[in-house]
C-alpha cells in the first residue's frame, strides 16, 4: 500500500486494511449486488475514469480506494496523481483508473467514501498543523474516532502532519480525575500504576490545576495532560515543567486558538474535532 | 433496543447492532485491556454517572451506547433521560448509568463516540427538516456514509426526521449517466432494467435536463433524480411530472437553499452532507 | 464469475460467493483434511476430469463449483461446456477440469453439491416458466429458501428464467393479515407504512378477498399478493385492477395449475416449491 | 436444545447451532431489518402463535426454530407439541409460542425454513427406514448435503431414524476407484492408508465387483461400499463377507427398491436423495 | 504447502492453515502495525535472510512460516533447506528468504513462533518414536493440545513420526469411567453407543483392570485404552487380547519408560507430554 | 472474570477471552459434537466434579476454564478453591463444579488445556521471580508466545509475578541490529523514530556492546536491551546508565543464571522460555 502514500505517513499493512475495505464493499453490494450495473453494463466493457477532488485538501485514503477497486476486480489499474499525505487542489486528479467498467462503477461509492472521510480528517489536521507551524508544538489526535475506523482515522491524522495519541485503552496509561479519586490521590494512583505496569508503557496524568501539575511532575510521569487551562496557566505549566514531562494541552483547541496555545511552549495540543467533526473532502469519479 | 428510541425511528435489531458495538469495544480494549482502569479501580467498586450533552441537538445512538455499557457488564443499569429521536438540550442529561465503575469507565469512550457521531447526523438532518417544514418535501439521505456504519447512520437520519434512500446497490435501481451511455440511451436502459428486475424493486433515473426528464416520465419510472437543477428548472420539472414519478432534487442542498428548493414542489431533497460532514454532537460522561 | 454464466442471469460477485464456497470446503475438510486423498495421491499428480450431468436440466452453480476447484488449487483450469442458465442434457458435459488430482478429488463433493442443489432449483423454475410460456406471466420465488443460501438460490431462480421476489425483510414491504389486524385495517396499515417508508421501497399487500383487493387498489399500493384465490376470483381481480398494481398469485401453484392461473392475466405467480422442494440435479465427476 | 428433541436424536450443541441460526436471521433482516413489522407492530404488543404442520411427517429442526425465536427476543416462550424425531400429523401443532409479536413475525420465515427443510429430510429418511423395517439393515446418509448445513442435515437424518455416514473428508477413509488406480491397486492402496492412519479412524473401500470385494475382505478393511450391485451380487457379497466387514449398498436406492436390497442382508443402505432431494415439510405459523 | 513438507506428513491444506497464520500476524501487528520497521526501513529495501536452527531437532511448521512471510508480502521467496518432518542440525539452515526487508522483519517473530512450537512437538515425538524403534509400537498423541492449534499440533506429531489419536470429541468414541458408571456398566455402555453410532466411527474403551479388559474384549470394541497399568499387567493384557482390539497404553509414558512399555506388545503408547510440555526448538532469523 | 483471579493479575475482559474459549470448544466439538457423552449421559443428569492439580504450581487460566464450563451450560456453578495467581499444591483442589454432567464432561478437556498451559507459564515465571527475589529486578516476558494466545500467555506471566514486555509490534518501538544498519547508525535511527512517533510510545534500543550502550544513553532512549552480555559487562552497563534508562538483560536467562544477572542491578531480565518452553501443569477433573 506504501505505493499510494507519501513517505512517513505509514499506511497500515494491507492485512489490516483489506478487511475494512472488503466489509464496506459487501455492505454496499448487499445480497443482490449492484443491480443497476449488472443489468446494464456488459461484463467485458472497459473504461477509464479519474478520481477528482472538487476542493483543495490533504489526501488520505487512496490506499483504501485502490484496495476497493482491486478487490472488485484484481485487474483494475490504479495510477496515482497525488499520494496520501500530499495536497490535492480543487479539480485536481487524485488517480486514474483503467479496467472493467463494472468494477469501476460498483466500487465507486465505497472508494469515494473512504477518501472523502479520511481526507476530511487529514485536511482538518493539516490546517491545525499549519496554524502552529514553526512553534515546535505537535498536533495530536484522541480516541474520539468513528467506531471501527480508528486505525484508518489515526492514519489520516498522520497524513495531515499530526501525531498519534493512544490507539486504545491498552497501549498507554492515562490517569484521569475519576481514577485519581478512586485511588485516593494522584500520588497513590501513580504508584499503584507503576507497581503493575510493564517498562515499555508510558504513563500520562490529566491535571486541572498547577498544583496537580507539580504533584505529577514530582512523580516523574512521562506526560501530563493539561485540561482546559488558560493561556496564562499553560505558560506557567511550561515554566514549572522545564522539560521533565511531555506537556499536552487539551480542550477547546480551535484553528483560532491553536497558535496562541502552541506559543506557550507546550509540546502537543490534542484535538478531538479533527477526527470527529471534520467535514468530508468533496471527491468524485469522472468517466 | 426500542426502549431507548422514540417510536417510528426504528432502531436496528440488537442482532444487527451488537456486532458493531462489540467490535468497537474490542477495538478500544486492544490486547491488554483498559490498563488504567484495571490497575486503579477495584472490580467491585460501583458508581453512578450521567451521559450529558454539552450542546443542543437531536439524540441518536443511545441504543449503541446502552449496548456498550451492557456488553462491558451485563448488570449495568441504563435509565434514559432522552430518547433517540428527541431533542436534547445543552447540559441536558441523556441517560443515567449505575453499575460497576470499571464498566462505566472502560465503555465510556466507545459509548460517547457512537452518540456523538450519530447525534451529529440526526442534528444535521433535523436542521434540514426544519428548514423545509410545512412544504411537504422530505429530506432523504444518500449512500455517502461512513464505511461500516451505513445501517446506523441511516437510522440516525430517521432519528432526525429524514427518510432513507437506498441502503445499498442492491435494493433499488438508480440509473446514472454512465449507465445510460453504456445502454445506448435512457429508453433502452430502462427497458433493459425492466426485463430483468423483480416486481418489488423500484427504478429511479438520474436526469440533468428537462428533456431527459420528459423521456424518463414517458417510461413510467418510479422516481427521478434531478441533478443540480436550478430553481426554475425544478419548478418546471414539477409541472411536467404532475405526480407521475417521485421527484428528488439533488446537488448543492444546504440549509440556506433547502427551503427554496422544497418550495418548487419536489417530493424529496437528498443530502450527502447530513451523513458525511455532520460535526459530532458534544457529549460527555459525568460521574 | 460471469464467464461461467449466461448473460442476464447475474451471478453474484465473487466477493459474495467466495465466503460460501470457502465455508463449504472447510466444512468438508474438517480438521484433518481429505485423509484418503492425502494418503494416496501424490501432490504433483495431475489429471483431467469432467463434470457430467446424469439427467437433463437447467444448469446453475457452475460459478460456485469453479470457485471450489480454484480455492482448493488456484492453478486448476475450468473450461465450460454449458453455462449457468443453459440447458444441460443427460450425459452432457458441464465442464472440463485440468489440474492437480488432489484438488479435483478434494473439491469434488462440494462442487457437485452446489451444482446439484442450484441446478435442481433452476430446473424446477424452468419447468414452471415453460408451463406459462407465452402468457406474459412471470414466475417469481419467495423467501422459502435454505438458511444461508438465499443469495445463491435466488440466482438459481434467475438461471431458470424466473424473477426474484424480496431478498429479505428489508428490501420491500409486504403487509399480511397479522399486520393489518394489528394496524386496525388495511387502510391505516398502508398509511402508517407510507408515513415512514423511503421513496425507493415498494409496498405490497396480501389480500384474501376481492373486497380487500379493492381496498388495496384504492390505496395505490405497488403490488398485491392474491392469496389462494380461485381461478374465477383471479380473473375478477385482474379485471378490477386494470393494471393499477402488480398482481401476484400465490398458493398452491403447481406445474399442473400454473398455466390456468397465468391465463387469468395475473402479472406473476410465486412459488415456494421451486426453492424449498426442488430435487437436486444428478451430477457427477468423471475422471 | 435437548428439550426440543426426542432422546437419542442428539441435537448439536447450541454452540454449534446458534451461529447458523443467527446467520440465517441476519440474512433475512438485511441492513434495514423487518420493515413491515417495525412500521406496523407496536414493540410491546404480545401475541400467541402456533407452528402448525400442513402435512404428516417426521419433525426435525425445532431446535433451530426455537433458537430463532429466542435470538430475536430472549423472552419468547416456546412450548413443544411434538419433539424433533417424533411424528407430526397433518394440521398438528408443533409448538406454541408466546411473546412479543414483533419477534414472532420477524423470526417466522427463518424458523419455518429450518423446520421445513430438516423435517423434509427426516420424513424422507423415516420413509426409507420404514421400508426396511425388521430387516436389521440401517439407512445411512452421504456427504450429498446442502453446503453449510451438513451438521444439521445429518441431525435430521438421525431424527428420521437413519444413521450417519462420514461427516467430512477427515473422519474416515473411503477409498474409491480413482484412489485405487493412483495407488496401483486395492492392496497397495489399503496398505498405504494403514501406514499413515491413526488407530481410531475407520477404513472403507468402494468396490464394483465381487472380485474386488474378495480382495478388500482379504485386507481386513472395516467397511465395504458395494456400488450399484444387483440384488444377486449383493446376496453373494453378503455370503462372501460372512460378517468380516460392514457392507454398505449404495446407488439407486429408492423407496421401491430399498426393501429388496435390505433383504439381501447388507448392513446398511446409503442414500443421497434423503438429503439432497427431500421435499420440504409444509409448515406454517398461525396466530 | 506440500512443497515444504516431507512426504506422508500431510500438512493441512492452506485453506485450513492460512486463517491461523493470518490471525497470528494480525495479533502481532495490532492496530498500528510494525512501528519500528515502518519508521526505519524503506519500503523498497530488499534483503536476504536465513531461518536457522540453534539446536538439533525435527522440523515442523515451515508451512506456517512460509505462509507468514508470503501473507506479509506475496513476492517473498522461500527456499527450503530442510523439510517439515526432516532432521535439522544445530546451526543448520532451515530456509532462505529473499524479499522486501519490511516483510522479513515484520513476519519474523510469528514465523519463528510457529516453527519453534511445532518443531518442539515434532522433536519430542521423534525422541519417543526413537525410544520404541523396532518394537512395532506406535507413538500417538492426545487431545491435550494448545487451544486453537490442535490441527497444527497433530501435524507436528506426524512430522515427528507419531500417529494421531482423535482430533476431537466427534470423530471417535472413547468411553471412560464416568460414562461407564452413568450407563450402568461397560456392557450396557457399549451397547448403547452401538445402537446410535454410525458404521464409520470407531469405539474405544478405557479400562483400569484386566477384568474390565476382558469385558471390553468380549464386546468386540475397536480399541482399548489401558490406563496406568504396570508392565506386568500390560503383558497380560496383550496376551488376553490376542489381537482382537488395538491396545493403547496410556499414563506415565516417559522417554525412560517408553521402550519397556512398548516391549509388552501394546499397539500404541499415547503421550500428552509431546504436545503439552515440549520445549520449543530454538530457531532464529539471520540477515 | 476478576472473581477467579488474584488482585493485580488483571485477567483480560470476558469480551476478549470468550472468543478464544468458544473457539477452543468448537475445535473440540467438531461437527458431530461429543459423541460419547451425548450417547451415554442423560441430558438432565447432574454431577459434581473438582478440578485438581497433580503438582504444585502457580495457577493461571481458571478464568478460561470457568468460561468453558459456562459456555457449555450457563447454569454450571464454579466455586474457586484457588485463584489465578495463587499457589496450588499437589493434589490441591482448584475449583469445584456443579451442574449437568454433559457440560462437565464435554468441556473438561478444553478447560484443562487452558489451565495446564497457562499455569505452566505462570509456574515457570514464578520460579524465575523467586530466583531474583529481593534484588529489585523484574522478570519480563517476550513476544515468543503461542500464535493466537498472546493475550492469555501475557496474563499467565502476570499471574506468575512477572511483568509484560510489548504486546505486539505496535505498542512500543524496539530498534534492533538490522534497523540500525538500515538507518545508518544508532543515532540516525533514534532520530528518525522520534520524528514520527507519538508521545505515548516508548523507545527501546537493543545493544551488544558498552559502546553502543553509551551511544543509546546519550540519545535519551526510554529503555535499552542488553543482548547476551556477560556479568561483568552488565555491571558496567548499570554503572554507565546511572538510571538514565531502563536496562533489560536478555539472552540465556535460566533459573541458574538469573540471580547473578539480577544482582548486577539491571532493571529487568527478559525470558522467552517462560512462555515458549514451560511444561504444562498437570491438572485433572475428578468426579
Amino acid at each position: 500500500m506504501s505505493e499510494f502514500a507519501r513517505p512517513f505517513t505509514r499506511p497500515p499493512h494491507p492485512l489490516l486494511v483489506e478487511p475494512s475495505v472488503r466489509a464496506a464493499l459487501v455492505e454496499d453490494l448487499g445480497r443482490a449486488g449492484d443491480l443497476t450495473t449488472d443489468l446494464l453494463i456488459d461484463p467485458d466493457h472497459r473504461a477509464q475514469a479519474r478520481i477528482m477532488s472538487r476542493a483543495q485538501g490533504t489526501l488520505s485514503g487512496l490506499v483504501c480506494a485502490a484496495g476497493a477497486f482491486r478487490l472488485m476486480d484484481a485487474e483494475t489499474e490504479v495510477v496515482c496523481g497525488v499520494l496520501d499525505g500530499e495536497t490535492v487542489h480543487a479539480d485536481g486528479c487524485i488517480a486514474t483508473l483503467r479496467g472493467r467498467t463494472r468494477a469501476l462503477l460498483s466500487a465507486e461509492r465505497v472508494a469515494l467514501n473512504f477518501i472523502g472521510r479520511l481526507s476530511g480528517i487529514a485536511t482538518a489536521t493539516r490546517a491545525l498543523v499549519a496554524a502552529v507551524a514553526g512553534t515546535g508544538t505537535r498536533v495530536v489526535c484522541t480516541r474520539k474516532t468513528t467506531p471501527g475506523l480508528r486505525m484508518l482515522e489515526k492514519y489520516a491524522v498522520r497524513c495531515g502532519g499530526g501525531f498519534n495519541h493512544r490507539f486504545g485503552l491498552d497501549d498507554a496509561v492515562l490517569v484521569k480525575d475519576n481514577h485519581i479519586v478512586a485511588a485516593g490521590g494522584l500520588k497513590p494512583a501513580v504508584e499503584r500504576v507503576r507497581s503493575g505496569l510493564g517498562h515499555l508503557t508510558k504513563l500520562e496524568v490529566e491535571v486541572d490545576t498547577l498544583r496537580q501539575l507539580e504533584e505529577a511532575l514530582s512523580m516523574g510521569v512521562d506526560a501530563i495532560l493539561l485540561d482546559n487551562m488558560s493561556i496564562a496557566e499553560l505558560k506557567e505549566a511550561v515554566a514549572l515543567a522545564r522539560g521533565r514531562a511531555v506537556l499536552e494541552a487539551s480542550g477547546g483547541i480551535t484553528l483560532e486558538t491553536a497558535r496562541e496555545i502552541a506559543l506557550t511552549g507546550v509540546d502537543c495540543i490534542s484535538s478531538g474535532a479533527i477526527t470527529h467533526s471534520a467535514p468530508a473532502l468533496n471527491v468524485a469519479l469522472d468517466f
Side-chain angles (χ1 to χ4, degrees), chain A residues 30-44:
Chain A
R31 284 160 306 204
D34 185 347
L35 287 179
T36 317
T37 297
D38 291 356
L39 283 161
L40 289 174
I41 308 295
D42 196 280
D44 296 323

Side-chain angles (χ1 to χ4, degrees), chain A residues 12-29:
Chain A
H13 193 278
L15 283 172
L16 303 177
V17 173
E18 208 208 79
S20 296
V21 177
R22 183 183 293 268
L25 291 171
V26 168
E27 184 187 46
D28 206 22
L29 288 171

Side-chain angles (χ1 to χ4, degrees), chain A residues 91-145:
Chain A
D91 296 310
C93 171
I94 293 169
T96 304
L97 312 166
R98 279 183 208 88
R100 293 200 178 79
T101 310
R102 281 191 170 188
L104 301 183
L105 287 168
S106 295
E108 170 182 353
R109 179 46 40 218
V110 165
L112 297 178
N113 285 350
F114 273 110
I115 295 182
R117 171 141 199 87
L118 297 181
S119 299
I121 291 172
T123 302
T125 304
R126 178 74 72 201
L128 208 52
V129 168
V132 303
T135 62
T137 300
R138 287 177 167 194
V139 171
V140 306
C141 56
T142 65
R143 282 167 44 246
K144 296 180 179 176
T145 55

Side-chain angles (χ1 to χ4, degrees), chain A residues 22-188:
Chain A
R22 183 183 293 268
L25 291 171
V26 168
E27 184 187 46
D28 206 22
L29 288 171
R31 284 160 306 204
D34 185 347
L35 287 179
T36 317
T37 297
D38 291 356
L39 283 161
L40 289 174
I41 308 295
D42 196 280
D44 296 323
H45 193 270
R46 303 180 74 84
Q48 173 172 317
R50 293 193 306 164
I51 308 178
M52 303 296 294
S53 184
R54 302 287 189 238
Q56 177 164 326
T58 300
L59 185 65
S60 183
L62 187 54
V63 296
C64 303
F69 288 110
R70 288 174 173 181
L71 275 171
M72 204 57 100
D73 183 343
E75 293 171 23
T76 312
E77 253 184 274
V78 183
V79 180
C80 292
V82 184
L83 298 177
D84 274 3
E86 294 183 338
T87 299
V88 58
H89 299 286
D91 296 310
C93 171
I94 293 169
T96 304
L97 312 166
R98 279 183 208 88
R100 293 200 178 79
T101 310
R102 281 191 170 188
L104 301 183
L105 287 168
S106 295
E108 170 182 353
R109 179 46 40 218
V110 165
L112 297 178
N113 285 350
F114 273 110
I115 295 182
R117 171 141 199 87
L118 297 181
S119 299
I121 291 172
T123 302
T125 304
R126 178 74 72 201
L128 208 52
V129 168
V132 303
T135 62
T137 300
R138 287 177 167 194
V139 171
V140 306
C141 56
T142 65
R143 282 167 44 246
K144 296 180 179 176
T145 55
T146 309
L149 290 189
R150 184 165 292 163
M151 182 176 63
L152 289 169
E153 296 191 351
K154 296 250 167 191
Y155 164 62
V157 167
R158 297 195 299 270
C159 288
F163 287 80
N164 294 148
H165 210 292
R166 290 198 293 177
F167 271 69
L169 294 161
D170 66 324
D171 56 346
V173 166
L174 180 44
V175 178
K176 300 193 178 184
D177 279 13
N178 295 301
H179 301 111
I180 292 173
V181 170
L186 191 149
K187 205 175 158 219

